[in-house]
């Protein structure tokens, strides 16, 4: 069973009629063997189908039109087994609306030194057939990923798999509804943006709702529904002993469970898979949704606090990308620093809303006052995030374009317990180094809110940005700080 059962990828193998039916039968047989292999590989998260060999302009345009019309087709992989004159591909490629990956491979791994003859040479021509194919993409300036290497090479399969994950997230985004409860936090710039531009670019349908929509549904939540939510919490989380023995604190946990039930009903009725809240607009809700959105995020909903719909949609995209992978993905905020020379670190957290999918151990439900908002003490999950390699990503709206900024980081175990900090927390070292990464993040305009993931890779995000036609700026292990600083400066001057 594949990770994405409702998405498929088409493997279009190019050739031409010049070689005669015998050769084309061999091409077809090889394509079938490769397709079967992809379908059996754990590195390939969705089914690959082989719709036939492309040998003429008519074939090719028909294949792309069929792919465009198939809602299950999330992307197209092309490979030229033989030489396929690429003027034949122009119309098909110009009409293509699916993410495209050009696989530059060859059916045989090794040169058969003893038996190689001209028949073999004429059948196995990817080395030059794919160059002809690469040229026409470059000429048409098509956005595509090029993956090079033997088709059974684990690195090749992993790169195809990463692209497929990005493509499914991209397809999900085309139908994504983001429910924005209240506006964004007053006077904040980075969480603002043009919702029309975002829908054109990413497909995200962002619409505002009054928080009263949730409050109305809250009044009809039954005790039985709250009991069921409490049982779900008990199954996954611990309730802090001091909460369990405190009747008033337990009532606040139940109030949070009721908010979750109301939110669930609202999300189901609106079809939204991502949401935002804001502590500045909680009319009719007894608490800021904390535990409630933490549990919803764990189930795969995107979330952004303070009206941050761009991050909510990005969290959702990264939840889809990381489906079935270990590690977890969460809404996150860069909160405060540890500036010990040579051991600089970022402490990430939020008022409440960090996803338990990134927890190192079983999260604990606690109830504490919220220092802003003037509402009841909200119930929330408290935990330390796991250690390991992760990415922090942010989408920015510069008025005329969007930019995705990604930072690779190394999350580290907490060196000390923080008994007085009543929220979930993560600690990490940005790469390539603290000072360089943060200088570039600020020069790039990177936000304080991010989508933080141990499962999504920079490669998936770069692939996803390319599909959306958005700039992706990666600050990572391999980044040269002076080089990227100069690139940002050139770009600033160009934009002016
Ligand atoms: Mn925030």
């Amino acid at each position: 069973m594949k990770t994405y059962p409702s998405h498929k990828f088409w493997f279009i193998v190019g050739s031409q009629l010049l070689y005669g039916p015998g050769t084309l039968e061999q091409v077809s047989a090889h394509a079938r063997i490769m397709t079967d292999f992809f379908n059996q590989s754990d590195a390939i998260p969705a089914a690959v189908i082989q719709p036939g060999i492309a040998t003429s302009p008519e074939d090719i345009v028909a294949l792309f039109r069929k792919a465009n019309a198939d809602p299950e087709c999330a992307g197209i992989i092309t490979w030229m087994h033989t030489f396929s004159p690429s003027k034949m591909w122009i119309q098909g490629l110009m009409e293509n609306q699916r993410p495209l990956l050009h696989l530059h491979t060859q059916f045989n791994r090794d040169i058969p030194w003893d038996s190689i003859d001209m028949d073999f040479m004429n059948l196995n021509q990817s080395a030059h057939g794919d160059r002809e194919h690469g040229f026409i993409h470059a000429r048409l300036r098509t956005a595509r990923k090029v993956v090079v290497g033997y088709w059974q090479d684990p690195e090749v399969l992993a790169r195809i798999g990463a692209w497929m994950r990005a493509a499914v997230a991209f397809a999900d985004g085309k139908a994504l509804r983001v429910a924005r409860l209240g506006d964004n936090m007053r006077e904040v710039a980075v969480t603002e943006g043009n919702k029309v531009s975002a829908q054109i670019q990413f497909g995200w349908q962002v619409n505002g709702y009054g928080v009263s929509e949730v409050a109305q549904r809250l009044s009809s939540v039954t005790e039985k529904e709250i009991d069921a939510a409490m049982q779900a919490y008990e199954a996954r989380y611990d309730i802090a002993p001091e909460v369990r023995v405190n009747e008033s604190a337990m009532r606040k946990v139940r109030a949070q469970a009721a908010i979750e039930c109301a939110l669930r009903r609202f999300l189901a009725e609106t079809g939204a898979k991502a949401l935002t809240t804001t502590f500045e607009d909680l009319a009719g809700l007894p608490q800021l949704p904390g535990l409630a959105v933490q549990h919803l995020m764990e189930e795969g909903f995107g979330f952004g606090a303070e009206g941050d719909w761009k991050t909510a949609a990005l969290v959702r995209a990264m939840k889809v990308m990381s489906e079935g992978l270990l590690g977890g993905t969460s809404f996150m905020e860069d909160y405060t620093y540890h500036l010990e020379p040579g051991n600089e670190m970022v402490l990430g957290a939020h008022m409440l809303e960090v996803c338990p999918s990134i927890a190192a151990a079983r999260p604990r439900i606690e109830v504490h006052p919220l220092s802003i908002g003037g509402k009841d003490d909200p119930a929330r999950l408290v935990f330390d995030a796991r250690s390991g390699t992760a990415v922090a990503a942010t989408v920015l709206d510069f008025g005329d374009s969007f930019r995705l900024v990604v930072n690779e980081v190394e999350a580290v175990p907490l060196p000390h317990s923080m008994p007085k900090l009543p929220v979930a927390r993560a600690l990490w070292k940005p790469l390539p180094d603290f000072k360089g990464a943060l200088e570039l993040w600020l020069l790039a305009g990177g936000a304080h809110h991010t989508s933080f993931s141990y499962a999504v890779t920079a490669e998936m995000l770069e692939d996803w940005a390319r599909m959306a036609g958005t700039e992706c700026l990666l600050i990572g292990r391999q980044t040269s700080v002076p080089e990227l600083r100069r690139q940002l400066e050139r770009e600033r001057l160009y934009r002016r």
Side-chain angles (χ1 to χ4, degrees):
M1 185 67 168
K2 291 291 188 186
T3 305
Y4 303 112
S6 49
H7 294 87
K8 291 178 175 53
F9 289 84
W10 289 27
F11 181 36
I12 300 184
V13 177
S15 186
Q16 61 180 325
L17 296 169
L18 181 77
Y19 302 108
T23 300
L24 289 179
E25 267 163 39
Q26 276 176 291
V27 169
S28 226
H30 289 171
R32 278 197 302 275
I33 292 169
M34 291 166 75
T35 302
D36 289 346
F37 180 84
F38 294 145
N39 282 326
Q40 275 154 28
S41 165
D42 290 338
I44 301 296
V48 176
I49 63 159
Q50 215 284 301
I53 306 301
T55 55
S56 71
E58 293 75 20
D59 276 2
I60 292 165
V61 82
L63 279 172
F64 279 104
R65 283 177 186 165
K66 227 167 115 186
N68 287 339
D70 180 356
E72 288 197 333
C73 174
I76 292 172
I77 300 169
T78 58
W79 168 55
M80 305 304 113
H81 191 314
T82 53
F83 195 83
S84 183
S86 69
K87 278 160 62 177
M88 300 195 312
W89 287 77
I90 290 174
Q91 192 58 30
L93 290 176
M94 283 175 65
E95 290 189 26
N96 177 39
Q97 292 163 7
R98 297 285 177 251
L100 203 138
L101 184 146
H102 180 187
L103 176 60
H104 184 40
T105 190
Q106 180 171 282
F107 183 70
N108 55 301
R109 195 192 71 175
D110 300 340
I111 292 175
W113 307 103
D114 295 335
S115 63
I116 189 165
D117 57 12
M118 276 322 284
D119 285 345
F120 181 91
M121 296 276 273
N122 283 332
L123 178 63
N124 299 286
Q125 307 184 29
S126 307
H128 69 278
D130 270 333
R131 287 171 205 243
E132 167 74 358
H133 193 63
F135 168 76
I136 205 64
H137 283 286
R139 176 68 178 79
L140 292 170
R141 300 186 177 89
T142 44
R144 79 276 188 206
K145 181 175 190 173
V146 177
V147 175
V148 180
Y150 184 53
W151 49 281
Q152 294 186 23
D153 176 354
E155 211 176 275
V156 166
L157 294 167
R159 293 199 69 206
I160 297 171
W163 170 82
M164 286 179 166
R165 288 179 170 280
V168 174
F170 180 65
D172 184 77
K174 294 279 179 191
L176 177 64
R177 291 184 180 173
V178 184
R180 197 164 177 232
L181 292 163
D183 207 316
N184 75 327
M185 185 178 163
R186 287 184 275 278
E187 304 290 1
V188 176
V190 77
T191 54
E192 287 283 7
N194 186 320
K195 302 202 280 281
V196 177
S197 302
Q199 187 165 350
I200 293 166
Q201 192 96 40
F202 305 106
W204 302 338
Q205 304 163 45
V206 185
N207 284 298
Y209 296 87
V211 72
S212 59
E213 296 269 357
V214 181
Q216 277 164 19
R217 288 167 176 86
L218 188 58
S219 54
S220 62
V221 172
T222 64
E223 288 299 309
K224 216 174 133 188
E225 284 174 283
I226 298 174
D227 289 342
M230 291 295 288
Q231 273 170 22
Y233 297 158
E234 295 266 13
R236 316 179 72 85
Y237 317 130
D238 290 336
I239 296 181
E242 62 275 18
V243 171
R244 210 182 274 285
V245 298
N246 180 333
E247 215 175 289
S248 139
M250 279 305 279
R251 266 202 305 276
K252 283 168 182 150
V253 178
R254 288 184 69 85
Q256 189 70 222
I259 294 172
E260 178 177 330
C261 296
L263 275 172
R264 245 176 226 288
R265 209 173 288 173
F266 167 75
L267 291 166
E269 284 166 25
T270 53
K273 292 276 189 236
L275 76 156
T276 70
T277 59
T278 171
F279 67 90
E280 287 179 333
D281 186 359
L282 292 175
L285 295 188
Q287 304 172 18
L288 176 64
L291 171 59
V293 296
Q294 289 178 295
H295 190 215
L296 286 168
M297 238 191 298
E298 190 174 26
E299 267 180 34
F301 287 92
F303 176 77
E306 290 101 43
D308 189 347
W309 52 269
K310 295 197 298 296
T311 304
L314 183 61
V315 169
R316 167 64 188 176
M318 289 169 68
K319 291 271 182 194
V320 173
M321 270 177 227
S322 58
E323 183 75 41
L325 298 178
L326 294 174
T329 298
S330 179
F331 172 72
M332 184 59 74
E333 179 166 314
D334 300 81
Y335 233 100
T336 199
Y337 292 143
H338 181 71
L339 292 177
E340 177 191 348
N343 190 32
E344 293 92 343
M345 293 180 284
V346 181
L347 181 68
H350 205 260
M351 278 192 288
L352 305 172
E353 313 91 331
V354 178
C355 178
S357 65
I358 68 169
R362 201 172 152 95
R364 193 173 59 252
I365 296 175
E366 298 186 13
V367 176
H368 300 279
L370 194 67
S371 45
I372 40 180
K375 290 280 174 174
D376 266 5
D377 304 351
R380 81 287 305 272
L381 292 167
V382 179
F383 57 86
D384 294 349
R386 67 189 69 199
S387 47
T389 303
V391 292
T394 173
V395 174
L396 308 158
D397 184 344
F398 290 133
D400 57 353
S401 60
F402 291 93
R403 169 184 281 168
L404 176 71
V405 184
V406 180
N407 190 196
E408 287 178 323
V409 308
E410 200 58 49
V412 296
L414 271 75
H416 303 283
S417 66
M418 294 183 284
K420 292 188 173 171
L421 187 69
V423 290
R425 68 301 288 264
L427 190 68
W428 66 82
K429 296 183 174 188
L431 298 171
D433 62 87
F434 181 89
K435 288 175 182 166
L438 272 298
E439 179 187 337
L440 292 171
W441 188 271
L442 266 60
L443 283 172
H448 58 291
H449 283 170
T450 60
S451 175
F452 191 86
S453 177
Y454 296 76
V456 169
T457 59
E459 181 176 16
M460 292 177 204
L461 288 166
E462 287 184 309
D463 289 350
W464 178 81
R466 195 182 310 107
M467 290 167 196
T470 303
E471 177 192 1
C472 178
L473 197 104
L474 171 63
I475 305 166
R477 208 179 286 278
Q478 312 288 341
T479 297
S480 152
V481 176
E483 205 173 290
L484 196 51
R485 184 196 292 133
R486 281 193 290 272
Q487 184 189 316
L488 282 163
E489 182 59 11
R490 274 196 302 274
E491 163 150 343
R492 188 185 69 82
L493 294 170
Y494 173 78
R495 277 170 190 269
R496 262 186 67 189

